[in-house]
């Protein structure tokens, strides 16, 4: 009956909106059929996106999304950087066909936000580099510091602190930013 159909439709919408990740369903022409609450909120989408081609909606955020989707078989995950609120965010997008005939069926795209995971991995890598730097043998660092054919002279605590820091990072692959006033010899370090 009509009422049962409406109840099932409401239940379907409730379940779909309850998915805790941005989720978009498109038809075989890649036109958006449904957006859940998370997709609307995170990507600032409205009902006006319904019926539009998916990559047209994201063309400013991911310029080559059309090529990516067209060359990635359904069922494969896609990893993308998407600009959200002027900030880069990293997503793993699970693309799943909703029927066995993947070429002619609707597809569901679930966006898993990996941004926090990526930044945690970056912090862990930086922490590991710092541990490595601090555990270097002081003799090795001193040889590297004095073995480049230049010598920095200074006796103040500040200069001694700079010497200590240079010796610690001399053998590493870490990028170091050196700041200071003009003419203080930054290029020597």
């Amino acid at each position: 009956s009509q009422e049962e159909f409406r109840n099932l439709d409401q239940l379907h919408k409730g379940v779909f909106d309850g998915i805790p990740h941005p989720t978009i369903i498109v038809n075989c022409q890649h036109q958006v059929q449904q957006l859940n609450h998370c997709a609307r909120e995170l990507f600032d989408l409205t009902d006006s996106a319904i019926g539009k081609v998916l990559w047209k909606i994201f063309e400013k955020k991911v310029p080559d999304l059309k090529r990516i989707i067209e060359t990635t078989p359904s069922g494969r995950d896609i990893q993308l950087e998407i600009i959200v609120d002027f900030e880069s965010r990293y997503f793993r997008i699970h693309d799943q066909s909703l029927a066995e005939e993947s070429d002619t069926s609707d597809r569901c795209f679930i966006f898993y936000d990996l941004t926090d995971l990526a930044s945690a991995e970056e912090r862990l890598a930086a922490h590991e580099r710092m541990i490595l730097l601090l555990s270097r043998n002081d003799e090795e660092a001193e040889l590297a510091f004095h073995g480049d054919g230049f010598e920095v002279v200074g006796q103040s605590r500040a200069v001694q602190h700079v010497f200590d820091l240079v010796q610690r990072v001399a053998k590493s692959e870490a990028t170091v930013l050196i700041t200071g006033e003009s003419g203080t010899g930054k290029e020597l370090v």
Side-chain angles (χ1 to χ4, degrees):
S1 80
Q2 288 284 357
E3 189 166 329
E4 288 176 338
F5 178 76
R6 277 192 297 258
N7 288 341
L8 280 175
D9 190 48
Q10 290 295 352
L11 179 62
H12 171 267
K13 287 179 182 175
V15 169
F16 186 68
D17 268 344
I19 297 172
H21 304 284
T23 305
I24 299 173
I25 295 178
V26 300
N27 64 17
C28 60
Q29 287 88 31
H30 296 99
Q31 294 168 319
V32 174
Q33 301 299 299
Q34 288 183 301
L35 305 161
N36 77 344
H37 175 73
C38 291
R40 291 172 195 271
E41 194 172 288
L42 183 64
F43 301 128
D44 196 29
L45 298 173
T46 64
D47 283 340
S48 65
I50 304 293
K52 291 187 179 171
V53 177
L54 182 63
W55 47 79
K56 291 287 187 184
I57 294 169
F58 284 94
E59 67 186 343
K60 290 184 181 171
K61 299 173 191 293
V62 186
D64 57 345
L65 185 61
K66 178 181 181 181
R67 180 193 54 79
I68 293 167
I69 289 175
E70 288 180 336
T71 58
T72 303
S74 181
R76 292 263 177 97
D77 287 355
I78 303 166
Q79 295 218 1
L80 284 179
E81 177 181 0
I82 300 176
I83 306 299
V84 178
D85 295 329
F86 305 104
E87 200 176 310
S88 287
R89 298 184 71 112
Y90 302 93
F91 290 91
R92 177 175 55 88
I93 304 169
H94 182 70
D95 169 14
Q96 185 63 52
S97 176
L98 297 179
E100 288 192 31
E101 292 292 324
S102 61
D103 292 341
T104 60
S105 73
D106 291 354
R107 293 166 74 176
C108 179
F109 293 92
I110 303 174
F111 294 73
Y112 296 96
D113 192 344
L114 304 177
T115 305
D116 292 336
L117 179 61
S119 62
E121 287 175 345
E122 289 169 3
R123 287 194 307 273
L124 178 61
H127 182 68
E128 288 172 344
R129 282 193 308 272
M130 185 58 71
I131 289 171
L132 182 64
L133 289 174
L134 295 174
S135 67
R136 294 261 185 216
N137 183 328
D138 285 339
E139 248 180 65
E140 288 177 356
E142 192 169 322
L143 288 173
F145 180 65
H146 292 294
D148 289 340
F150 68 86
E151 187 174 342
V152 179
V153 179
Q155 305 237 339
S156 70
R157 279 191 173 181
V159 172
Q160 292 303 316
H161 181 68
V162 169
F163 289 167
D164 292 341
L165 290 174
V166 168
Q167 288 174 346
R168 286 184 179 176
V169 299
K171 284 286 200 174
S172 79
E173 296 290 322
T175 301
V176 178
L177 174 65
I178 301 172
T179 61
E181 292 179 320
S182 178
T184 57
K186 295 180 294 294
E187 71 280 358
L188 296 176
V189 178

